[in-house]
Amino acid sequence: METAYRDLTCGDARLSHVGREVALAGWVHRRRDLGQLIFLDLRDRYGITQVVIDRHDAPEAHTVGADVRTEFVVRARGVLAKRLAGTENAKLATGDVELRVQDLRVLSTAKTPPFPINEPDAEVDDALRLKYRYLDLRREPMQKRLLLRSRLVHAIREVHHAAGFVEIETPLLIKATPEGARDFIVPSRLQPGSAYALPQSPQQLKQLLMVSGFDRYFQIARCLRDEDLRGDRQPEFTQLDLEMSFVTEADVMAFVERMVIEVSRSVTPERPIANDPFPRMTYREAIDRYGSDKPDIRYGLELHSLADVAAGSGFRVFDETLDGGGVVYGFAAPGMAGAPRSRLDELTEDAKRHGARGLIWMALEEGGTIRSPIAKFLVEGRAAAIVAAVGAKPGDLVLIVAGDDIHAQEALGRLRVDCAARLGLGDPDVLSYLWVNRFPMYQWDADGHRWDATHNPFSGVLPEDEELLATSSGDPSDPSPGDPAGRARALQYDIVLNGWELGGGSIRIHRRELLERSFLLMGHSEKAQREKFGGILEAFEYGPPPHGGIALGIDRWAALLTYQTNIREVMAFPKTQSGTDLMLEAPSPVDPALLDELGLALKPRKKPDA
RNA sequence: GGGCCCGUGGUGUAGCGGCCCAACAUGCCAGCCUGUCACGCUGGAGAUCGCCGGUUCGAAUCCGGUCGGGCCCGCCA
């Protein structure tokens, strides 16, 4: 890292360098002025080196050093020396040595920063961090995370190139996609009245590359979606996008699994990978056992159906739910029987927030008595049967949700995650990867009165379910919620890491007639198909190979690998939850002349009538 | 579109109707100090308590609105 300004970085100096005359350059991390003697901790992204300025040895440098302040950029030249016995600093990699300064130059001065750069643990208001993002990024935690992210992307590229993948860039100015999220729109100056859309993902383009014969493609691709933000969602984010030809589901999963393991071991060698090979479970199993299609399996707390043991209990909620074809599920939260009423009320509120109509609890006291709002319905045998069904032990709290459908299981699944967090379950160091597949092809869209792709409209169907791509009316353009199509399972697979959806993909439909049938079910008439997907449908008339792929969220992956739950922490310049960039002050009004050229007028936000 | 939380010297917090022209820590400025490493010691400056309006004899404190940030639901794969 030698340059005209420096011979070593601030992380390089070791005992082996002692005696050498060197120059260092960096930011003043801290200054300790003892009068005749000044210590500067000089920092760059590689580390910190102590610089000593002794007035007797270097009076001119001492004068400069007296005026130096935190975050000034300086260049110090001198002799690298072994520290005096007893003054070594074990906390620094460079702590056995120090630079005895002969010459000190200020390369640039700095105002007092708006928040401490030199205290890694300092809590700083998010808005302030984002406004001065360049200073936030100067802090050690952000440096570490972005460096890890860089290693992550590097490792991904290495593995893919080694496996014969071709890295191809796809355009950002493309055509709006009718499915999925809201598109960002870019008006066209050359084609007045028309607009480009920014890609939600390179989905169609990568499939076209398969038609072109690039049988192994990948890209670290920016994706843009104009939807509301969350901690794990930004309007622009990055995916590892890949697609392969002449593959089955097993082929894609096998490659991705090896790739993920290799990359994880390379980037975070100290973190254990829970399972190799990754466990695989069907969507149905994930929902039934964990109430989630992205279960965190680092801990148990599995859900159990109580349909058999709750039937005919005399408790109206159970009986009516089960008679109506609904579900009753429960799980045992270990050691939570002593939870006070207030805590149980909180859990009930959480369950409601997660979409349950209510929550039933049974606390198994150590003495064997059961405390529960439905105690009077729990005649002896029934209570024991429920306890047995969920595998509860004395001291456990059994949580039960009844409801019409999958939403009850999902609500309970979220309670499971809440309880696990509260109980401190799940080793935070472990990387627990998991495959979930056999997702339903479609979900019923009541508003649009059509079937909607659960994931991707091009996802293929399990061969044995192909005949289910039909409506009960016999006319694919006349769908209804009871259609066989609702039971069809997709060749769709998600990869899950510690309870987060890391990525998802599918084997695509490459046979045109099947694709058209699927599109009809999703409410796209042949005419609409031409308009919306004409390009790719035409391409599929020219020998599309069987193909499939996957996309992994790089931001989420980097966040999980750095113990973060918010992807902003692994993005250099993220936006706020309201989609603004506080540093650049974007979005902003646009020069009227430019708008005019584009044939645009921007309407200001509607104000309530005055 | 909706719910909840936060906004007080540069920073992080305390104060939550009068004890407050606001406290503590840190940072900042000045002086002293030759082995510090979160250096130490002494002194000092620094806040119309996000903004607007209201209630009140009196508002950082209560109420309404607004702006900004965060978490969540809807939305989103």
Side-chain angles (χ1 to χ4, degrees):
Chain A
M1 302 298 157
E2 185 182 339
T3 68
Y5 282 91
R6 68 185 183 196
D7 300 306
L8 299 172
T9 74
C10 295
D12 287 334
R14 293 294 184 277
L15 283 174
S16 60
H17 298 101
V18 163
R20 273 180 58 184
E21 185 179 320
V22 299
L24 298 180
W27 285 265
V28 174
H29 188 67
R30 232 173 256 287
R31 190 176 75 107
R32 292 178 293 281
D33 186 345
L34 277 62
Q36 306 279 43
L37 198 63
I38 299 171
F39 294 94
L40 298 181
D41 289 340
L42 208 57
R43 184 200 69 234
D44 59 22
R45 76 173 170 92
Y46 306 92
I48 291 175
T49 300
Q50 174 164 279
V51 164
V52 197
I53 312 160
D54 188 323
R55 191 171 176 184
H56 288 301
D57 298 341
E60 287 178 18
H62 186 273
T63 307
V64 175
D67 287 333
V68 156
R69 291 295 180 267
T70 304
E71 300 307 318
F72 276 29
V73 181
V74 302
R75 175 175 188 264
R77 194 178 48 74
V79 176
L80 210 54
K82 184 177 184 344
R83 288 201 189 186
L84 301 181
T87 66
E88 301 87 354
N89 185 347
K91 286 184 231 161
L92 294 180
T94 62
D96 288 328
V97 296
E98 62 193 9
L99 186 74
R100 302 262 166 82
V101 166
Q102 291 160 353
D103 182 60
L104 184 69
R105 253 172 54 204
V106 173
L107 301 179
S108 71
T109 61
K111 298 207 293 191
T112 301
F115 49 80
I117 310 290
N118 54 14
E119 293 173 24
D121 300 329
E123 296 247 342
V124 183
D125 182 71
D126 278 322
L128 203 61
R129 289 179 61 196
L130 291 174
K131 179 169 181 195
Y132 297 95
R133 190 60 164 179
Y134 45 88
L135 293 180
D136 191 32
L137 296 181
R138 205 186 268 177
R139 305 199 305 156
E140 186 185 333
M142 285 306 301
Q143 295 246 321
K144 279 188 174 164
R145 290 195 283 268
L146 290 190
L147 290 172
L148 181 140
R149 182 178 176 137
S150 171
R151 283 189 275 120
L152 174 68
V153 171
H154 182 77
I156 287 170
R157 284 208 162 92
E158 276 193 333
V159 174
H160 281 78
H161 285 294
F165 279 77
V166 184
E167 184 169 1
I168 301 177
E169 293 178 85
T170 52
L172 284 175
L173 296 174
I174 62 167
K175 180 174 172 160
T177 41
E179 296 283 325
R182 202 173 286 119
D183 288 308
F184 280 103
I185 294 300
V186 180
S188 165
R189 177 180 58 83
L190 297 174
Q191 305 292 330
S194 291
Y196 302 98
L198 300 175
Q200 299 175 25
S201 78
Q203 182 62 36
Q204 290 193 38
L205 293 156
K206 73 176 176 181
Q207 291 191 244
L208 292 169
L209 288 170
M210 293 302 106
V211 178
S212 303
F214 294 100
D215 65 334
R216 294 189 154 206
Y217 141 92
F218 86 104
Q219 181 180 194
I220 308 292
R222 189 59 63 89
C223 305
L224 301 108
R225 294 176 190 168
D226 188 8
E227 293 292 345
D228 286 359
L229 276 43
R230 286 288 189 286
D232 62 348
R233 279 169 15 204
Q234 282 273 309
E236 39 183 323
F237 59 100
T238 306
Q239 283 188 344
L240 161 59
D241 190 50
L242 69 92
E243 195 79 3
M244 305 164 78
S245 290
F246 307 110
V247 288
T248 62
E249 183 181 67
D251 291 320
V252 177
M253 287 166 84
F255 167 74
V256 171
E257 186 162 329
R258 292 336 297 170
M259 182 274 292
V260 164
I261 287 173
E262 203 169 321
V263 167
S264 302
R265 290 210 173 116
S266 159
V267 175
T268 54
E270 73 287 357
R271 297 186 66 173
I273 294 170
N275 300 289
D276 176 6
F278 300 163
R280 297 178 184 200
M281 69 178 72
T282 64
Y283 168 80
R284 189 72 253 165
E285 184 184 359
I287 295 291
D288 286 346
R289 289 174 62 191
Y290 301 100
S292 169
D293 62 357
K294 44 180 189 292
D296 190 340
I297 58 166
R298 286 175 298 171
Y299 48 86
L301 306 191
E302 288 193 27
L303 277 40
H304 298 273
S305 172
L306 301 178
D308 295 340
V309 293
S313 62
F315 176 50
R316 260 183 58 187
V317 171
F318 285 174
D319 293 346
E320 288 180 4
T321 299
L322 291 170
D323 290 346
V327 297
V328 179
Y329 273 80
F331 73 93
M336 283 182 65
R341 189 61 202 232
S342 58
R343 176 79 196 96
L344 295 165
D345 289 344
E346 269 174 47
L347 281 169
T348 304
E349 283 309 304
D350 290 343
K352 285 181 180 165
R353 190 158 42 82
H354 295 153
R357 281 206 295 269
L359 178 70
I360 295 139
W361 50 267
M362 289 169 56
L364 310 191
E365 311 283 3
E366 294 289 352
T369 56
I370 291 177
R371 188 162 58 99
S372 173
I374 61 162
K376 66 174 173 176
F377 297 103
L378 299 172
V379 295
E380 225 164 274
R382 190 171 306 275
I386 292 175
V387 167
V390 298
K393 297 185 195 56
D396 291 358
L397 179 69
V398 181
L399 298 174
I400 302 169
V401 167
D404 295 339
D405 53 21
I406 194 171
H407 295 109
Q409 284 162 273
E410 286 179 329
L412 194 62
R414 294 173 74 158
L415 273 187
R416 168 183 176 268
V417 174
D418 291 349
C419 288
R422 191 166 286 267
L423 293 168
L425 302 179
D427 183 339
D429 291 325
V430 165
L431 299 174
S432 179
Y433 293 101
L434 163 78
W435 287 108
V436 176
N437 65 358
R438 304 288 183 268
F439 284 79
M441 278 288 280
Y442 309 109
Q443 54 204 16
W444 182 249
D445 174 0
D447 293 338
H449 196 75
R450 64 182 192 114
W451 291 101
D452 192 12
T454 306
H455 280 77
N456 174 320
F458 290 91
S459 289
V461 63
L462 273 182
E464 60 262 42
D465 287 1
E466 225 173 82
E467 61 193 31
L468 296 176
L469 296 195
T471 57
S472 23
S473 68
D475 176 1
S477 59
D478 178 27
S480 60
D483 291 342
R487 300 199 306 276
R489 292 164 297 166
L491 286 168
Q492 159 76 33
Y493 33 83
D494 277 7
I495 184 166
V496 176
L497 170 54
N498 293 358
W500 277 34
E501 181 188 330
L502 186 60
S506 64
I507 298 299
R508 326 297 180 188
I509 305 180
H510 71 283
R511 282 158 46 207
R512 233 197 111 179
E513 65 284 0
L514 199 58
L515 194 54
E516 284 176 357
R517 180 141 51 112
S518 184
F519 275 147
L520 280 179
L521 286 167
M522 290 186 281
H524 304 305
S525 68
E526 279 180 46
K527 181 160 170 278
Q529 290 180 35
R530 292 265 157 230
E531 285 165 9
K532 294 167 178 168
F533 303 99
I536 192 165
L537 289 178
E538 188 179 4
F540 274 19
E541 293 175 28
Y542 291 93
H547 61 283
I550 195 168
L552 271 65
I554 297 279
D555 312 283
R556 288 184 181 181
W557 202 359
L560 286 162
L561 293 179
T562 53
Y563 301 91
Q564 301 300 308
T565 54
N566 194 313
I567 62 172
R568 281 193 299 257
E569 299 298 340
V570 293
M571 301 178 80
F573 300 107
K575 291 179 176 56
T576 67
Q577 193 158 40
S578 50
T580 62
D581 184 318
L582 297 178
M583 184 181 63
L584 300 176
E585 296 182 319
S588 63
V590 179
D591 181 352
L594 183 57
L595 284 179
D596 192 51
E597 206 172 22
L598 292 167
L600 278 186
L602 299 184
K603 289 192 212 168
R605 181 196 303 272
K606 278 189 218 113
K607 292 274 180 197
D609 294 331

